Amino acid sequence: MTDTTLTLRVNGAERTVTCDPETALLYVLRNDLDLKGARYGCGQGQCGACTVLVDGKPVQSCNVPTSELAGRDIVTIEGLGTPEAPHPLQQAFIDEQAAQCGYCITGIVMSAKALLDANPRPTRAEIGAALRDHLCRCGTHARIVRAVERAAAALSAAR
Amino acid sequence: MSRTNESSPLPGSLSVNPRLDQWIRLIPATPGGRDTVGVSPGKVDIGQGISTALAQIAADELDVALERIAMRAPGTDASPNEEMTSSSLSIEHSGIAIRYACAEVRATLLQKAAERFGVSVERLTVEDGTVSVVGGGQSATYWELAEPGMFSRAATAQFPPKSPDEFRLIGTSVKRLDIPAKVTGRPSYVHDMMLPGMLHARVVRPPSYEARLASIDDEAAVRALPGLVELVRDGSFLAVVCETEAQALRAARALRNRAKWDDRTRLPAQAVVHEHLKTLPQSLHVVGEKTDAAAAATGARTLSAAFTKPYIAHASIGPSCAVAVWNEGRPEIWCHSQGIFPLRVDLAKALRMPEAEITVHHAEGAGCYGHNGADDVALDAALAARAVPGRPVRLQWMREDEFQWEPFGPAMSIELTASLDADGRIVDWTHELWSNTQSTRPGRQPEGTWLLAGWHLADPLPKPPPRMIPIAGGGGSDRNAIPLYDFPNQKVLHHFITEMPVRVSALRSLGAFANVYAIETFMDELAEAAGIDPVEFRLRHLKDARARAVIEAAADRAGWKGRAAGDGSTGMGIGFAQYKNKQSYCAVVAEVSLEEDLRVTRCVAAVESGLAINPDGIINQTEGGVIQAVSWTLKEAVPFDERGIRCMTWDDYPILRFDEVPEVDVVLIDRPDQKSMGAGEAAQGPTGAAIGNALARAIGVRVRDLPLTKDRIAKALV
Ligand code: FES
Ligand code: FES
């Protein structure tokens, strides 16, 4: 494959990259756009560490060719908030101390974002189902679920 | 906290790294900044939050705000050598060293202030690093009082650290310093490092343990791939180094397709591996023995049971990764090893150069839970970078590299026999276990290496003879094999199997998981035979008040149902242990429900770790330990056959998912009067045992081979 120049819309900004169009979005985000929040865990769509939102839906960025994403709206964890001004979901993860190593967390926050956008007050079972494709080896699950519940309450109260 | 007298060794890791300025440095503010204190532990953060706990200790002992503490990542060029971050010893080794070092730094600065102000030390007070005379008058900051070289000397430990009533931060659930960056996706791991001019590399490993490279079909075609900077070939070690990561992935795929291997791998079949291991060369060790012939003679009934635990993977979510660069013939490496100094010993052997010429820095990785590929990848990156001097190389293992090559937690077999007297007391107990070593970490052996690539080089290094971890140091396969209960007769036998068909090393809690599973489920069988409630039965055999307290707390919180029989599908069970027989106490009550598969619906854990430095940190580690152990117990076994490891993807190695996770409730018992102990590995054994006991309570039969899959349960039921 020869390299092509693609225009992507990432976190609200137009970004131009030159790459083999078959390259998985994950590598373009991490290496070309210096967005390190999506992480490589398996490269096979099995762990969720690389999850970003495309047109509001969670997508495993390790598993999607960059060429398919031209013209679509990509949001990464960096598009939510910063350590100084975290998004309410991120704040809820901080408040619940919902991380051990944290490697899985950014992908989980993105799926949680998509969940809460579609379903502002999910039940525990709905949260579990929405995060089913995410693996966490540290066993942080219980806290993560509590953090999503806390965020749901905070976001609803703010509405 | 008592004063250490002059003749006794310095506390914690100060004993081997006494220089104060190795631990603590006063760093004056740069323009626009604030004065800070650099704290350099030799222990590494592996996602357990140790940096925050150590920062709390330093801030309290020095009387400065937590925000002034700058924790530094360990490096072989600038940190105290604390060997390995393992066995839940960081608080005991590093924490105690930092407490004494900070107490001494503070006292030295107060002395200086007293001289300068012409008052006695007793008249001074410290507020966020500013020393002032009580009742007003003169004041000066630590940074103003410090003099060059003031702490370039050995600690004396003559200055007592604070007592619990003086703590401000120790004992409180300070929020972890690293979490805001992690939940907002800032670069946090070695995986995220980017250095100017950095190249990307991948390894191409042999297809199985004993395969060796025969040839590469048209190597030139791989070399001609776009972006390929170097193809590294040294014996059977293969790596590609490319301009971009995507190119490295493609080049590695191409090279894999063209590599031909001679494969002599022969593994035992998975179904018979435990019996096979028992036939291999081994030595027998008596690790504990107690005899009282009169008591033994009162035995009225004898029970026996045999248990197995499979190979279990660390299965980190982030495959191992390292960055290396060679400048003027000297390598500098960033990696997530748990022991950068011991790693450097083996790197020196494999790279055939003096240790002093190698610099290794710790950078965080994904959680490792013991010895995974973190050390191996450091050597891989160094070998790849050696081929492109001056250019940094980032080498990331693929998921399949990690699953195929990480050293797994070893398979174990355990046989228990016990006798009850007429009153239902255990009067005789035998525990016999078979296992490979529980640690093949680098650094400790005089010859050879445990680093993977070292075996594959054209001039290979041998594998060293495996080593037993002495029981005095917490034990390896025999960790927690000596019962904590008061039995008049007991014998613990350890068959140390020296031949290792499957690559193995340390997995969180080592032998404790299997030993506690066996001991604690067998205790339930004995309680059943004696007709006594399992909680009551344990307490009758246990004098240690701290042990009794966690059992009672867990049973209480869980609403212990006593001997209420299961209804064929649900049940409640308990498990208990004191980790390594000398660290944290933990009891877990589990509730299960047998649906299509066995599900754990709720776990209540009670944990006691002495003085809790950061209570929420202990609770977080305990919750994680419980959930990980639920996964081990219900699901996990590394698949392999005669030709090799058959584990490539998460499909081959399922772990617990969000919709399968139990409710977890942790009761923390704080004992500020007792020394702080690590808590990261206390819950595994008790959790497994609690599940095994809950299952037996539910269905009325015992499953003694792990994991507790539906096939095993179905077989037990017929
Ligand atoms: S890295 Fe994309 S799903 Fe695992
Ligand atoms: S927090 Fe470590 S994998 Fe989830």
Side-chain angles (χ1 to χ4, degrees):
Chain A
M1 275 284 175
T2 50
D3 285 0
T4 315
T5 298
L6 296 167
T7 302
L8 300 174
R9 189 172 171 75
V10 182
N11 298 330
E14 301 284 327
R15 307 288 299 263
T16 306
V17 293
T18 303
C19 68
D20 177 336
E22 288 302 304
T23 302
L25 175 65
L26 175 66
Y27 299 106
V28 170
L29 293 174
R30 291 181 56 84
N31 299 328
D32 297 281
L33 302 180
D34 200 17
L35 297 168
K36 303 292 194 191
R39 295 200 162 87
Y40 170 81
C42 69
Q44 298 156 334
Q46 296 186 329
C47 74
C50 63
T51 303
V52 300
L53 300 185
V54 175
D55 297 335
K57 299 259 170 349
V59 164
Q60 291 160 338
S61 66
C62 71
N63 223 6
V64 43
T66 303
S67 58
E68 284 182 17
L69 297 161
R72 302 178 59 190
D73 198 29
I74 302 166
V75 177
T76 71
I77 188 81
E78 291 88 350
L80 298 195
T82 62
E84 298 71 36
H87 180 275
L89 240 174
Q90 293 165 323
Q91 185 61 50
F93 276 69
I94 296 169
D95 292 341
E96 290 290 337
Q97 293 285 285
Q100 287 180 59
C101 78
Y103 199 91
C104 67
I105 295 293
T106 49
I108 289 173
V109 170
M110 297 318 286
S111 283
K113 170 90 170 56
L115 169 69
L116 295 188
D117 287 346
N119 177 2
R121 293 314 292 265
T123 62
R124 254 182 197 209
E126 286 168 336
I127 296 170
L131 299 182
R132 196 186 143 76
D133 291 339
H134 289 271
L135 299 178
C136 171
R137 186 54 162 167
C138 292
T140 316
H141 307 71
R143 282 175 182 239
I144 291 169
V145 171
R146 289 202 292 274
V148 177
E149 287 174 335
R150 180 191 274 256
L155 286 164
S156 297
R159 259 187 203 108
Chain B
M1 200 54 62
S2 65
R3 224 169 224 253
T4 313
N5 75 45
E6 243 156 315
S7 55
S8 69
L10 291 167
S13 294
L14 281 178
S15 60
V16 278
N17 301 281
R19 260 180 73 137
L20 287 170
D21 62 358
Q22 266 192 310
W23 295 91
I24 308 296
R25 269 163 265 188
L26 293 173
I27 306 164
T30 48
R34 67 168 102 190
D35 297 322
T36 57
V37 182
V39 178
S40 300
K43 300 285 185 186
V44 304
D45 210 307
I46 50 175
Q48 83 284 44
I50 192 67
S51 302
T52 304
L54 297 177
Q56 283 175 260
I57 292 174
D60 255 8
E61 291 297 344
L62 285 168
D63 278 321
V64 300
L66 188 66
E67 293 70 30
R68 288 195 192 274
I69 303 292
M71 296 302 293
R72 303 180 150 205
T76 54
D77 51 345
S79 305
N81 179 355
E82 290 197 84
E83 295 278 329
M84 214 52 90
T85 301
S86 65
S87 302
S88 302
L89 286 167
S90 297
I91 288 288
E92 284 176 57
H93 288 175
S94 214
I96 208 77
I98 289 172
R99 281 190 78 182
Y100 276 89
C102 289
E104 185 155 352
V105 165
R106 179 182 182 277
T108 309
L109 291 162
L110 284 186
Q111 189 56 48
K112 179 100 281 173
E115 284 163 23
R116 190 182 287 187
F117 304 158
V119 299
S120 68
V121 168
E122 288 68 43
R123 293 201 44 215
L124 297 175
T125 156
V126 187
E127 174 81 40
D128 191 17
T130 299
V131 186
S132 41
V133 181
V134 179
Q138 309 181 70
S139 74
T141 70
Y142 284 168
W143 296 267
E144 291 160 357
L145 292 164
E147 288 168 1
M150 199 176 215
F151 302 111
S152 313
R153 61 170 177 86
T156 63
Q158 293 303 299
F159 304 91
K162 296 194 167 165
S163 59
D165 56 320
E166 296 173 287
F167 295 155
R168 287 171 305 128
L169 296 168
I170 295 174
T172 65
S173 293
V174 164
K175 293 223 185 311
R176 261 174 53 183
L177 307 170
D178 55 330
I179 287 184
K182 286 181 176 161
V183 302
T184 50
R186 299 304 114 148
S188 299
Y189 309 98
V190 68
H191 305 69
D192 303 335
M193 264 182 81
M194 277 252 247
L195 295 175
M198 189 173 83
L199 300 170
H200 291 269
R202 288 294 182 280
V203 277
V204 174
R205 291 271 182 235
S208 62
Y209 288 145
E210 300 309 324
R212 292 297 177 266
L213 186 65
S215 62
I216 299 173
D217 178 17
D218 195 3
E219 186 176 321
V222 182
R223 289 189 178 270
L225 285 172
L228 190 121
V229 180
E230 200 53 71
L231 190 164
V232 183
R233 178 175 178 177
D234 186 342
S236 294
F237 176 80
L238 293 178
V240 290
V241 184
C242 296
E243 292 290 348
T244 73
E245 195 165 15
Q247 290 164 342
L249 291 171
R250 269 196 297 276
R253 209 176 306 127
L255 182 55
R256 186 179 314 281
N257 290 337
R258 290 168 182 279
K260 303 271 177 292
W261 308 87
D262 285 332
D263 196 348
R264 284 185 296 268
T265 305
R266 275 289 163 273
L267 296 186
Q270 189 175 355
V272 298
V273 70
H274 291 94
E275 294 92 278
H276 175 83
L277 285 168
K278 286 183 175 176
T279 67
L280 297 178
Q282 55 188 271
S283 52
L284 179 61
H285 307 262
V286 179
V287 287
E289 194 163 20
K290 209 153 74 170
T291 39
D292 175 345
T298 64
R301 309 173 54 179
T302 299
L303 274 68
S304 300
F307 303 84
T308 63
K309 184 220 111 180
Y311 294 100
I312 295 180
H314 300 80
S316 177
I317 293 295
S320 297
C321 182
V323 174
V325 60
W326 288 68
N327 282 310
E328 281 144 37
R330 296 183 175 216
E332 187 169 6
I333 301 158
W334 291 262
C335 66
H336 50 104
S337 168
Q338 282 179 280
I340 51 175
F341 287 94
L343 167 61
R344 190 169 64 157
V345 174
D346 274 39
L347 287 172
K349 289 183 194 165
L351 298 171
R352 295 178 159 96
M353 63 195 299
E355 248 183 86
E357 294 181 5
I358 305 171
T359 305
V360 186
H361 305 276
H362 180 263
E364 272 188 67
C368 58
Y369 329 107
H371 179 202
N372 65 353
D375 291 302
D376 298 318
V377 78
L379 175 56
D380 293 348
L383 290 168
R386 190 169 62 182
V388 288
R391 296 202 65 180
V393 173
R394 174 186 181 277
L395 191 149
Q396 158 111 56
W397 276 13
M398 303 300 283
R399 169 55 48 203
E400 52 273 28
D401 295 327
E402 192 80 36
F403 266 144
Q404 289 264 291
W405 289 98
E406 68 146 286
F408 302 115
M412 288 175 69
S413 300
I414 297 169
E415 292 176 13
L416 300 181
T417 302
S419 300
L420 290 164
D421 70 10
D423 299 329
R425 291 196 68 85
I426 296 169
V427 291
D428 203 353
W429 179 277
T430 307
H431 184 130
E432 191 164 10
L433 69 96
W434 289 260
S435 176
N436 283 142
T437 181
Q438 301 274 339
S439 175
T440 60
R441 291 184 188 274
R444 290 186 174 129
Q445 57 293 327
E447 270 160 51
T449 185
W450 290 119
L451 294 178
L452 178 54
W455 310 330
H456 292 157
L457 299 175
D459 181 7
L461 288 157
K463 290 179 193 169
R467 178 182 153 275
M468 238 175 99
I469 304 170
I471 194 82
S477 299
D478 45 16
R479 182 166 292 181
N480 276 92
I482 298 175
L484 292 153
Y485 300 103
D486 306 304
F487 302 147
N489 289 280
Q490 65 190 37
K491 190 163 197 173
V492 179
L493 301 169
H494 176 181
H495 297 262
F496 180 73
I497 302 167
T498 48
E499 194 177 314
M500 294 175 281
V502 171
R503 189 180 188 213
V504 293
S505 194
L507 172 68
R508 198 174 184 186
S509 86
L510 308 191
F513 175 63
N515 287 319
V516 173
Y517 184 84
I519 293 171
E520 286 292 296
T521 54
F522 196 47
M523 281 298 281
D524 260 41
E525 288 191 57
L526 291 159
E528 187 77 45
I532 301 170
D533 171 74
V535 168
E536 171 60 26
F537 186 72
R538 283 174 173 77
L539 295 176
R540 283 191 196 180
H541 288 91
L542 205 49
K543 287 199 208 80
D544 184 342
R546 294 168 74 180
R548 297 172 64 94
V550 290
I551 291 176
E552 284 165 345
D556 215 43
R557 174 73 71 101
W560 180 251
K561 294 218 178 65
R563 296 177 62 213
D567 59 5
S569 68
T570 64
M572 184 185 260
I574 191 165
F576 151 78
Q578 180 190 16
Y579 187 50
K580 291 192 212 170
N581 292 27
K582 59 184 178 188
Q583 291 188 342
S584 294
Y585 294 85
C586 183
V588 175
V589 173
E591 289 174 53
V592 302
S593 155
L594 186 60
E595 295 158 21
E596 199 195 328
D597 289 301
L598 181 63
R599 286 185 71 103
V600 178
T601 51
R602 180 169 178 237
C603 289
V604 174
V607 62
E608 192 247 288
S609 307
L611 162 67
I613 305 279
N614 186 321
D616 187 61
I618 294 175
I619 293 170
N620 197 357
Q621 281 288 295
T622 305
E623 284 176 7
V626 166
I627 292 172
Q628 191 172 70
V630 171
S631 185
W632 292 355
T633 306
L634 297 187
K635 294 181 171 254
E636 297 186 30
V638 175
F640 59 93
D641 63 20
E642 285 90 337
R643 308 258 332 278
I645 303 299
R646 291 285 173 256
C647 195
M648 303 280 274
T649 74
W650 287 109
D651 278 342
D652 305 322
Y653 197 84
I655 63 172
L656 203 69
R657 289 185 178 273
F658 268 94
D659 52 359
E660 300 167 320
V661 166
E663 210 184 295
V664 185
D665 187 3
V666 177
V667 185
L668 174 65
I669 301 175
D670 190 16
R671 293 211 192 259
D673 56 322
Q674 299 287 341
K675 83 169 175 162
S676 302
M677 300 178 291
E681 300 170 286
Q684 275 77 5
T687 301
I691 297 168
N693 287 333
L695 173 65
R697 186 76 42 206
I699 64 172
V701 290
R702 295 256 153 207
V703 183
R704 302 191 185 98
D705 299 302
L706 292 169
L708 306 177
T709 57
K710 70 172 170 230
D711 292 353
R712 290 231 168 88
I713 295 168
K715 223 162 83 197
L717 279 169
V718 293

